[in-house]
Amino acid sequence: MSTAQLFALTPGEPAGIGPDLCLLLARTVQPHPLVAIASRELLSERAVELGLHIELLSASPGNWPSLPAPAGSLYVWDTPLQATVQPGQLDAVNAAYVLQTLTRAGQGCLDGDFAGMITAPVHKGVINEAGIAFSGHTEFLAELTHTEQVVMMLATRGLRVALVTTHLPLKDVAAAITAERLTQVARILHADLVEKFGIAQPRILVCGLNPHAGEGGHLGREEIEVIEPTLELLRGEGLNLIGPLPADTLFTPKHLDHCDAVLAMYHDQGLPVLKYKGFGAAVNVTLGLPIIRTSVDHGTALDLAGSGQIDSGSLQVALETAYMMASSRS
């Protein structure tokens, strides 16, 4: 088989619901071979706690599967833990294990072993407690792949929202929206919609920063001084950018029915709408990387680990999105 059909799955924080999600996923057949990069012991113990009978099949470099695992089974590239895991109880000792799973998946994508990687949630705090500087999957994979600029995009059925700025205090957002940053983000969004989503001429709606998109300068001048001139230059490069539009009316069917993505200026401008529309069935996509990476739209849910009271819908959407992106890319 072509290795372009093989995907990597990382379960994230071992004390969270990531291992549970992997096991729940294994109950049905996936359309492509999928390898969980995880501790075999961890998955075996969690399966017992969940009352699931999942056969764990071995996979490793040189021994990759050529077909999807049968229902009730999961391919595992065994990655040993540093300490025994209790569901819901964080242990900084296992931080190195979490990063090893991500490194194996990311490097495997770079090497061509995997067509893409799908990630379950990690716990940033416990990794930092281990003395490892870590701000998230996105930054870790950007460094691993030597990528200078990446873009965060969340998607659910019928809506994609990318962000110019991500995790910044609101008071710092306006200063961070520079012509250079907006140009980089818009170019990456356009390029990946073409290359990884197979959209020949993507139509992107752009939010204004201020209420009513500044209302002609009466409610802020960022649209006039930064956003509008930058969008006009990018249109000259062939990007189809509509806006800046008032964010309160942009997210309505009149506009969304005729666009491929929305570019929001800051985190809480675009993501509340998307999560209202598709929470539990949304996916986080990192744009700008030379590899395909998708993730669930939720956290580690430590209190639910081992309980069986979880929904694997977001992971399934993350998988479907990765499959689609790989197909478009090839």
Side-chain angles (χ1 to χ4, degrees):
M1 64 156 253
S2 166
T3 55
Q5 296 174 296
L6 182 64
F7 293 81
L9 172 62
T10 60
E13 168 52 48
I17 62 170
D20 309 45
L21 291 171
C22 295
L23 293 163
L24 290 172
L25 188 78
R27 295 178 299 177
T28 57
V29 179
Q30 291 295 311
H32 296 279
L34 183 68
V35 175
I37 303 176
S39 162
R40 186 186 184 95
E41 178 184 7
L42 169 66
L43 293 175
S44 179
E45 291 176 352
R46 193 64 61 85
V48 171
E49 292 173 23
L50 294 171
L52 295 175
H53 300 285
I54 304 296
E55 184 180 6
L56 303 179
L57 309 173
S58 296
S60 59
N63 183 36
W64 297 127
S66 59
L67 295 171
S73 61
L74 179 67
Y75 286 111
V76 181
W77 182 3
D78 189 25
T79 307
L81 289 162
Q82 305 299 311
T84 302
V85 172
Q86 295 296 325
Q89 298 181 21
L90 296 171
D91 189 339
V93 174
N94 280 320
Y97 156 81
V98 174
L99 297 187
Q100 186 181 13
T101 66
L102 295 179
T103 300
R104 282 183 165 185
Q107 191 60 51
C109 289
L110 289 173
D111 293 342
D113 290 332
F114 305 124
M117 61 184 287
I118 301 94
T119 61
V122 297
H123 193 287
K124 302 181 185 73
V126 76
I127 296 174
N128 286 304
E129 286 175 18
I132 302 169
F134 181 85
S135 54
H137 277 112
T138 302
E139 294 80 4
F140 181 85
L141 293 172
E143 183 176 351
L144 179 69
T145 60
H146 306 291
T147 304
E148 290 186 9
Q149 178 72 51
V150 293
V151 174
M152 177 180 177
M153 183 177 82
L154 267 72
T156 190
R157 291 178 179 88
L159 180 62
R160 303 182 185 98
V161 177
L163 303 176
V164 177
T165 63
T166 52
H167 301 123
L168 286 178
L170 192 57
K171 66 182 179 62
D172 297 334
V173 168
I177 299 174
T178 62
E180 180 183 15
R181 185 181 187 92
L182 181 55
T183 297
Q184 289 177 328
V185 170
R187 284 174 175 165
I188 290 170
L189 174 58
H190 172 88
D192 272 15
L193 288 173
V194 173
E195 180 190 356
K196 296 176 182 173
F197 287 84
I199 302 170
Q201 295 179 315
R203 190 172 190 267
I204 300 168
L205 303 185
V206 183
C207 295
L209 171 64
N210 297 295
H212 302 179
E215 203 162 280
H218 296 289
L219 294 176
R221 297 192 57 81
E222 285 83 3
E223 287 79 10
I224 294 172
E225 295 175 358
V226 178
I227 300 174
E228 289 178 1
T230 303
L231 297 185
E232 191 59 31
L233 288 173
L234 290 167
R235 292 184 192 107
E237 298 178 6
L239 277 66
N240 188 0
L241 303 169
I242 297 89
L245 300 172
D248 63 339
T249 54
L250 181 155
F251 288 101
T252 56
K254 172 185 174 182
H255 295 291
L256 296 181
D257 287 349
H258 305 287
C259 83
D260 298 298
V262 172
L263 182 56
M265 291 295 132
Y266 57 95
H267 188 281
D268 282 14
Q269 181 182 56
L271 297 193
V273 180
L274 184 132
K275 292 194 175 186
Y276 177 76
K277 177 178 174 60
F279 190 74
V283 56
N284 187 338
V285 184
T286 306
L287 304 179
L289 295 173
I291 65 175
I292 289 171
R293 179 259 169 166
T294 66
S295 183
V296 295
D297 69 344
H298 55 73
T300 54
L302 295 168
D303 58 322
L304 297 177
S307 72
Q309 304 300 311
I310 60 172
D311 185 343
S312 58
S314 181
L315 180 59
Q316 187 61 50
V317 176
L319 285 161
E320 292 170 0
T321 303
Y323 300 154
M324 180 272 294
M325 291 171 70
S327 176
S328 296
R329 198 176 198 185
S330 62

